[in-house]
Amino acid sequence: MRIEKDFNLRQYNTFGLDCRCNYFIESGSVDDFVELAASYDLPPEKILLLGGGSNFLFTEDFDGTVIYPMIQGMEVVREEGEQVWVKVGAGVVWDDFVAWAVDNGLAGVENLSLIPGHVGASPVQNVGAYGMEAADTIYEVEAVDIQAAERVTLGVVDCCFAYRDSIFKHQWKNKYIITAVTFRLNKKADFKLDYGSIRAELEQAGEEVSLLAVRQAVIRIREAKLPDVNVYPNAGSFFKNPVVPATLAQEMKEKYPAMPLYALEDGTAKLAAGWLIEQAGWKGKALGQAGVHDKQALVLINKGNATGLEIVRLANEIKKSVFLKFNVWLEPEVNVL
Ligand code: EPU
């Protein structure tokens, strides 16, 4: 177990922001976390559970303890017919898991290629892209209950998954240290090619549909649109795509025929926040060192030495403009601390 005092998280958040915490605790062992929970008083509001740090915006120092689980390992734990259950350590880099699944002919996460972050964060955020989300394949989540100092296994129903959301962001915030996630993958792929430009990308490359071809197409699309965190530190989509009543969406569509719109089964519709932001005139613009990516307006970038507050100010200005133009409030996808 590694314990650091008064630690700077700059290397641990993809926005590259300076943020100090009282303690930083890293371990690759589940037993360490049980022991930690048993030995120290860790009130939920004094804990920050950190994965790849790709979804945080720090606006001030964190007056508490950052827990950084680095539990490794990928293991097939069960096989039945075409289904294969794979248990993956929370500290495994998400895309290493996706690459492993694709290499082993296991389907279910290929559209989620190149999403930054660690596996342990995937149930929290219910990461998603191109018509797939982690919740489609998560079978169960192993964790340490911090107050009870014991190991627990949580079923998929317990997790209350929704679009970029789960119970771990609400009632169970800071209740559990997620240590491993078991995914149910499939030897037979059910390709999802119709969201975004995956099919067009495959056709353009003249490739047969396969797990690897889909993974590579997703990687090409993402690399073309999303900024490299090493060049422009960022946290991927800054806002969620707003979900509005279908009637409201239809009214907007009549006024703005080019507006992208995804009808959902429950009578609501999802709008493209990136489109709304671009229409509000923000694409490629900046306020100080905080900028809006010029190829995807949903992504805010640190253009140099931006502070968290500078990025929040930009986000607030964007929210205001979008609201004034479209009467729609954008909600951040990123956790602002
Ligand atoms: N659009 C614009 N201008 C922009 C950006 C987008 O007009 O600046 C339009 C696009 O042309 C398209 C629509 O908006 O018609 C949707 O854009 P895109 O396909 O790029 O996806 P998105 O809705 O902006 C979501 C996820 C991404 C994920 C992609 C692909 C959210 C908040 N974001 O973005 O996730 O990669 O779909 O599935 O749901 C992330 O969460 O960090 C992330 C990158």
Side-chain angles (χ1 to χ4, degrees):
M1 181 151 41
R2 169 185 174 206
I3 303 182
E4 306 276 353
K5 221 178 148 183
D6 188 26
F7 186 73
N8 191 335
L9 296 169
R10 193 186 178 93
Q11 305 294 327
Y12 292 83
N13 73 98
T14 60
F15 258 128
L17 300 167
D18 273 319
C19 167
R20 303 195 84 84
C21 58
N22 299 347
Y23 291 98
F24 177 86
I25 301 181
E26 172 183 341
S27 175
S29 143
V30 182
D31 288 340
D32 275 357
F33 288 118
V34 177
E35 204 184 305
L36 180 81
S39 323
Y40 293 92
D41 182 27
L42 292 166
E45 69 279 8
K46 293 281 186 186
I47 299 173
L48 174 63
L49 298 162
L50 195 63
S54 56
N55 223 21
F56 282 108
L57 174 62
F58 295 120
T59 58
E60 57 184 11
D61 287 343
F62 181 67
D63 178 21
T65 299
V66 172
I67 294 176
Y68 189 59
M70 282 303 280
I71 295 141
Q72 299 300 308
M74 272 186 271
E75 182 195 355
V76 171
V77 289
R78 183 170 152 201
E79 255 189 84
E80 220 176 275
E82 274 156 1
Q83 299 190 328
V84 179
W85 284 254
V86 185
K87 179 174 154 180
V88 189
V92 170
V93 170
W94 171 265
D95 194 54
D96 290 350
F97 160 56
V98 176
W100 179 92
V102 167
D103 282 350
N104 286 279
L106 296 174
V109 288
E110 59 283 359
N111 288 23
L112 307 180
S113 291
L114 215 61
I115 288 183
H118 293 176
V119 165
S122 62
V124 180
Q125 189 64 8
N126 184 18
V127 296
Y130 306 105
M132 265 183 197
E133 52 184 25
D136 302 336
T137 45
I138 288 176
Y139 176 71
E140 64 187 20
V141 173
E142 290 178 30
V144 171
D145 180 327
I146 300 173
Q147 301 314 321
E150 63 185 24
R151 293 171 182 238
V152 292
T153 300
L154 309 163
V156 68
V157 177
D158 301 329
C159 300
C160 300
F161 288 124
Y163 166 57
R164 292 295 199 279
D165 204 22
S166 76
I167 195 166
F168 301 108
K169 290 173 93 172
H170 306 285
Q171 286 93 328
W172 288 354
K173 189 169 176 183
N174 295 343
K175 182 170 167 57
Y176 296 112
I177 300 170
I178 292 174
T179 52
V181 183
T182 300
F183 297 86
R184 182 166 43 188
L185 303 177
N186 212 296
K187 290 182 193 166
K188 208 166 137 226
D190 174 17
F191 290 109
K192 294 211 165 52
L193 309 178
D194 292 318
Y195 190 102
S197 49
I198 300 186
R199 192 182 293 280
E201 181 68 35
L202 285 168
E203 278 166 11
Q204 207 182 359
E207 278 171 330
E208 292 280 317
V209 177
S210 69
L211 289 177
L212 186 60
V214 170
R215 170 169 165 76
Q216 287 170 341
V218 169
I219 289 175
R220 286 197 298 274
I221 297 168
R222 288 186 71 98
E223 282 181 339
K225 274 195 190 174
L226 299 172
D228 180 347
V229 286
N230 297 312
V231 182
Y232 287 125
N234 71 85
S237 300
F238 191 89
F239 298 101
K240 290 186 195 177
N241 283 327
V243 176
V244 300
T247 45
L248 176 67
Q250 270 317 323
E251 277 170 33
M252 293 176 74
K253 185 82 181 163
E254 276 160 33
K255 197 161 170 204
Y256 304 101
M259 182 185 81
L261 177 68
Y262 312 97
L264 303 176
E265 280 163 12
D266 62 358
T268 59
K270 201 187 269 185
L271 308 179
W275 186 88
L276 300 172
I277 297 167
E278 180 173 353
Q279 296 304 308
W282 282 102
K283 197 170 188 170
K285 296 276 171 56
L287 279 184
Q289 292 296 305
V292 181
H293 187 48
D294 59 359
K295 296 192 186 72
Q296 162 55 289
L298 194 46
V299 180
L300 303 191
I301 55 178
N302 178 352
K303 298 189 81 168
N305 291 315
T307 61
L309 286 175
E310 229 174 334
I311 297 170
V312 167
R313 188 162 71 97
L314 173 64
N316 286 340
E317 290 302 321
I318 291 172
K319 275 168 86 164
K320 224 185 321 172
S321 305
V322 168
F323 182 70
L324 290 176
K325 190 169 169 72
F326 297 105
N327 216 7
V328 171
W329 263 120
L330 295 180
E331 297 288 344
E333 188 208 316
V334 168
N335 301 299
V336 180
L337 279 174

